[in-house]
Amino acid sequence: MGRIIAVANQKGGVGKTTTAINLAACLAEAGKKVLTIDLDPQGNMTSGLGVDKNEVENTVYELMLDECSIKESMTDTVVDGMKVIPSNVNLAGAEIELLGIPEKEYILRNAVDYIKEDYDFIVIDCPPSLNMLTINAMTTANSVLVPIQCEYYALEGLSQLMHTIDLVQQRLNPNLLIEGVVFTMYDVRTNLSNQVVENVRNNLDAKIYDTLIPRNIRLAEAPSYGLPINLYDSKSAGAESYRLLAKEVIDRKDI
């Protein structure tokens, strides 16, 4: 049975999409069968995996409106054997269009049910907000991975995210777990990064991954080339960090 991981944080700029792309790519590099789902209307995961988001015929938007099958919504990526269900700006209107649909919280889950046995991991990139798209990701997922930027306001908004996860557990998906927290944009030279890590460790009752994702110029450059970091610069600190994170995710036995 594969694992479905939603990468979520309603705070923007925390390395959420970077983490979703590169974790998925490194899981695939480790020999796992991986599917990625872009649930963010900005479509950054789609373009970050080498897909032209404006040229794709079917996206997650068409899938959720039942205008195509889940197989028809999948597109090849630059990662060998890994597909993406792409997204583009059309998805921004989905909230309103889904209003009248019964059980709208489970649309994605019902579609993914058909193919989830085919994959070791399904990685969902959530939008930077706690909306119906994020709820769909959480009802589909087994667990939520939360990237946190090593900055002063790291804990701000985190309690809101944890509250949302708690509500989803109570009302929609009782089996949902917190996969863990991963620190991004870590700068070994600053006391602030170390203080943030300690602060979160002391205040958060959740698994915190040992791997720290560094602030790394190669990681920032890779999306503009439509490549995950392990294909853009395989020997960079960013690539090594995401390989270590992928190994930690694979080795988790309690999910």
Side-chain angles (χ1 to χ4, degrees), residues 49-92:
L49 288 169
V51 176
D52 186 338
K53 61 190 175 190
N54 299 315
E55 293 297 318
V56 285
E57 186 176 348
N58 292 318
T59 68
V60 73
Y61 172 74
E62 280 77 22
L63 175 65
M64 293 185 79
L65 291 182
D66 203 22
E67 293 174 7
C68 70
S69 72
I70 190 159
K71 289 272 176 76
E72 289 169 337
S73 70
M74 294 180 191
T75 302
D76 289 328
T77 68
V78 289
V79 180
D80 278 351
M82 189 171 87
K83 291 184 181 289
V84 64
I85 298 178
S87 170
N88 57 29
V89 72
N90 291 344
L91 190 60

Side-chain angles (χ1 to χ4, degrees), residues 204-215:
L204 200 61
D205 182 25
K207 176 178 170 58
I208 295 172
Y209 280 104
D210 294 330
T211 303
L212 300 167
I213 307 301
R215 192 176 284 281

Side-chain angles (χ1 to χ4, degrees), residues 1-254:
M1 179 74 181
R3 273 160 60 193
I4 305 174
I5 301 173
V7 183
N9 191 333
Q10 80 274 18
K11 197 169 184 299
V14 298
K16 177 184 58 63
T17 299
T18 300
T19 294
I21 289 171
N22 293 308
L23 172 61
C26 289
L27 288 169
E29 184 184 74
K32 301 299 179 185
K33 192 142 193 265
V34 183
L35 171 67
T36 51
I37 302 176
D38 190 349
L39 264 191
D40 188 344
Q42 295 173 87
N44 291 337
M45 176 188 238
T46 301
S47 53
L49 288 169
V51 176
D52 186 338
K53 61 190 175 190
N54 299 315
E55 293 297 318
V56 285
E57 186 176 348
N58 292 318
T59 68
V60 73
Y61 172 74
E62 280 77 22
L63 175 65
M64 293 185 79
L65 291 182
D66 203 22
E67 293 174 7
C68 70
S69 72
I70 190 159
K71 289 272 176 76
E72 289 169 337
S73 70
M74 294 180 191
T75 302
D76 289 328
T77 68
V78 289
V79 180
D80 278 351
M82 189 171 87
K83 291 184 181 289
V84 64
I85 298 178
S87 170
N88 57 29
V89 72
N90 291 344
L91 190 60
E95 281 276 299
I96 296 159
E97 297 192 52
L98 295 175
L99 279 177
I101 296 176
E103 298 211 316
K104 58 184 178 291
E105 300 88 357
Y106 298 106
I107 294 169
L108 186 66
R109 188 187 76 176
N110 293 339
V112 168
D113 273 350
Y114 286 104
I115 52 89
K116 65 182 181 184
E117 304 294 333
D118 300 340
Y119 295 93
D120 299 311
F121 288 93
I122 297 174
V123 178
I124 307 173
D125 186 31
C126 297
S129 57
L130 298 176
N131 60 15
M132 188 53 63
L133 295 171
T134 302
I135 300 297
N136 262 270
M138 289 186 186
T139 57
T140 306
N142 308 118
S143 60
V144 181
L145 178 68
V146 184
I148 297 181
Q149 186 179 355
C150 288
E151 57 147 48
Y152 184 69
Y153 294 112
L155 283 169
E156 198 172 277
L158 197 60
S159 58
Q160 193 184 353
L161 177 65
M162 294 304 175
H163 178 62
T164 301
I165 293 170
D166 195 40
L167 284 177
V168 171
Q169 286 169 329
Q170 288 176 36
R171 300 179 187 179
L172 300 168
N173 183 4
N175 299 319
L176 185 67
L177 299 168
I178 295 175
E179 174 81 29
V181 167
V182 60
F183 290 103
T184 61
M185 304 179 203
Y186 180 79
D187 190 339
V188 71
R189 299 165 301 177
T190 66
N191 285 332
L192 178 61
S193 280
N194 295 317
Q195 286 167 3
V196 169
V197 171
E198 277 310 302
N199 193 9
V200 174
R201 282 191 201 281
N202 294 335
N203 286 285
L204 200 61
D205 182 25
K207 176 178 170 58
I208 295 172
Y209 280 104
D210 294 330
T211 303
L212 300 167
I213 307 301
R215 192 176 284 281
N216 179 251
I217 190 68
R218 307 301 270 171
L219 267 178
E221 290 170 356
S224 62
Y225 291 88
L227 293 169
I229 188 63
N230 61 327
L231 295 183
Y232 177 63
D233 187 346
S234 184
K235 292 185 166 56
S236 66
E240 290 302 329
S241 296
Y242 276 110
R243 284 191 188 103
L244 288 171
L245 179 63
K247 184 178 186 309
E248 277 196 83
V249 168
I250 291 167
D251 289 346
R252 279 209 75 174
K253 298 289 185 269
D254 53 340

